[in-house]
Amino acid sequence: MRHSARGQVDPFIVMDVMQAAAKAEAEGRRIIHMEVGQPGTPAPQGARDALAKALEQPLGYTVALGLPRLRQGIAGLYRRWYGLDIDPARIVVTSGSSGAFVLAFSALFDAGDKVAMGFPGYPSYRQILKAMSLQPVGIPTTVEDRYQPRPEQLPDDVQGLILASPGNPSGTVLRKDELAALAEAAQGRGMALISDEIYHGLSYGRPCHSALEVTDEVFVVNSFSKYFSMTGWRVGWMVVPHSHLRSVERLAQNMFICPPHASQVAALAALDCIDEAEANLAVYAENRRLMLEELPKAGFTKIAPPEGAFYVYADVSDLTQDSLAFAAEILDKAGVAVTPGLDFDPDRGATTLRFSYARSTEDVAEGLRRLAAFMAAR
């Protein structure tokens, strides 16, 4: 069989690291997972209870844009978090944030269009774009700018811009005035704006701001995966302008039919489990404190300021020029899985690593002890 050129995307390296870690675990080793951005906690109890009850009845197709009650509930989240009154009709429930990006890119861009994003950034932006015959354009950001792009860096002849706050892998957050300036600059250049807000709710200190606070001309992507600890349930959402709603609906009907009914039932109940989600946030806050205290002692001294999410992004150029090999060495000798920066920055990622602190505090503390011992012996 023939192969399409657009199908030849790069691997998601963190998934390869997970596979290597799983192989080591199958051999009897205990691996500390600092590679994947996945909460160590289960879905909220209320979500699990709601699904168990719902399983007594048939679960079939829902409308393509998602259960109306869930869309109304998500609108309530925007009132609670940002004081925004969002029309529930603008909310599109999706099969995870990945499904949201496929719909957004399909609705906004044509084959050959260019879409800009900050490097380092979430790798699947680039690979989904490539698979859709679109051209990702990296904006090299700096630690001085908290790994976020500046308006004057936006390239010409680009049809779209993806922003992420808190960012992955950096965990850095855009201020409201910075969001406004970037949105204005993008609009002035005729660029469609997509704001990835999947880590909202996970911030330490100042709150996160939604792009919807500064403009309605934006596709906002979010998910139940991170704050609500529901990665494997594959349920996310978008907020889209009224002008694009019917286009997105037609695409969703044909591409996905609907998001998983069972996951939507659980997600609706999760919206009432804020106390449980906030308790998880307190664990991440303690894990973050440990990371910022202990990583420099181990020799990882050049790190971005992690204001949100659950990652630490470290410059390890003084330790290696090959982050892929360095991560493999750490897994082999320390039993700690970490992610090479090449996932996030194809140009400069050979000298960076990402550490996730999404698991239990006990695991994070053990991982830090192992890293310190490994670095001391290296």
Side-chain angles (χ1 to χ4, degrees):
M1 296 290 288
R2 68 191 304 275
H3 288 275
S4 70
R6 62 186 176 87
Q8 306 311 302
V9 300
D10 299 330
F12 197 172
I13 296 174
V14 69
M15 304 307 291
D16 290 342
V17 175
M18 283 182 65
Q19 184 175 5
K23 181 181 178 182
E25 288 171 328
E27 294 169 353
R29 298 185 64 191
R30 185 190 172 209
I31 302 300
I32 302 299
H33 291 274
M34 291 185 173
E35 82 280 29
V36 67
Q38 174 166 272
T41 49
Q45 185 65 53
R48 288 176 279 149
D49 291 345
L51 178 58
K53 185 176 180 180
L55 289 176
E56 298 173 4
Q57 303 294 328
L59 294 176
Y61 297 136
T62 70
V63 294
L65 297 185
L67 293 171
R69 285 184 61 204
L70 178 54
R71 296 164 75 192
Q72 292 165 4
I74 293 169
L77 193 67
Y78 281 85
R79 283 191 295 272
R80 184 187 312 148
W81 279 358
Y82 316 107
L84 295 174
D85 188 14
I86 301 295
D87 181 358
R90 294 176 58 194
I91 294 170
V92 178
V93 184
T94 60
S95 297
S97 65
S98 301
F101 286 115
V102 169
L103 289 172
F105 297 163
S106 299
L108 291 169
F109 307 120
D110 291 312
D113 281 352
K114 299 177 182 178
V115 182
M117 67 211 68
F119 281 0
Y122 180 54
S124 292
Y125 300 149
R126 308 194 312 272
Q127 309 311 332
I128 295 172
L129 289 167
K130 290 178 183 177
M132 299 178 72
S133 299
L134 302 167
Q135 298 182 51
V137 177
I139 302 171
T141 62
T142 65
V143 68
E144 291 79 15
D145 289 327
R146 306 190 315 282
Y147 290 119
Q148 295 286 356
R150 298 191 309 270
E152 59 269 25
Q153 289 182 290
L154 301 188
D156 296 323
D157 190 29
V158 168
Q159 286 69 50
L161 172 66
I162 303 172
L163 300 176
S165 174
N168 176 12
S170 66
T172 64
V173 173
L174 284 165
R175 318 295 186 236
K176 187 175 180 180
D177 62 326
E178 294 170 333
L179 273 170
L182 285 161
E184 182 180 2
Q187 187 171 12
R189 289 168 168 79
M191 300 165 67
L193 180 63
I194 301 169
S195 180
D196 181 352
E197 301 178 1
I198 190 174
Y199 294 101
H200 277 215
L202 302 178
S203 61
Y204 314 96
R206 69 179 72 213
C208 298
H209 288 284
S210 173
L212 289 162
E213 295 179 61
V214 300
T215 181
D216 279 328
E217 295 301 309
V218 60
F219 275 46
V220 166
V221 175
N222 209 320
S223 172
F224 285 86
S225 290
K226 310 300 182 178
Y227 179 72
F228 291 101
S229 298
M230 296 177 67
T231 51
W233 299 71
R234 309 314 303 140
V235 57
W237 74 84
M238 282 195 301
V239 183
V240 305
H242 282 290
S243 57
H244 287 69
L245 191 59
R246 182 57 178 159
S247 294
V248 171
E249 183 177 31
R250 291 196 300 260
L251 287 163
Q253 290 168 341
N254 286 284
M255 287 182 169
F256 301 106
I257 300 179
C258 68
H261 191 169
S263 297
Q264 292 186 72
V265 169
L268 176 60
L271 290 170
D272 292 326
C273 300
I274 299 300
D275 288 347
E276 195 170 338
E278 288 296 307
N280 294 338
L281 176 60
V283 173
Y284 304 145
E286 172 61 13
N287 294 352
R288 173 180 176 271
R289 184 194 67 78
L290 286 173
M291 292 287 250
L292 293 178
E293 184 177 292
E294 299 299 328
L295 279 177
K297 294 179 185 177
F300 302 99
T301 58
K302 296 184 286 187
I303 60 179
E307 303 162 290
F310 31 52
Y311 306 118
V312 170
Y313 194 57
D315 178 343
V316 291
S317 56
D318 56 331
L319 302 171
T320 186
Q321 298 296 306
D322 186 347
S323 61
L324 197 63
F326 192 30
E329 182 185 357
I330 292 171
L331 178 61
D332 179 48
K333 296 182 179 178
V336 179
V338 301
T339 306
L342 286 169
D343 239 356
F344 314 103
D345 190 333
D347 301 319
R348 300 171 297 171
T351 57
T352 55
L353 292 176
R354 188 193 73 176
F355 302 85
S356 171
Y357 52 89
R359 297 299 181 104
S360 70
T361 300
E362 179 184 3
D363 274 4
V364 169
E366 172 63 18
L368 288 167
R369 285 191 290 271
R370 294 187 186 189
L371 286 170
F374 163 75
M375 292 296 288
R378 189 171 187 259

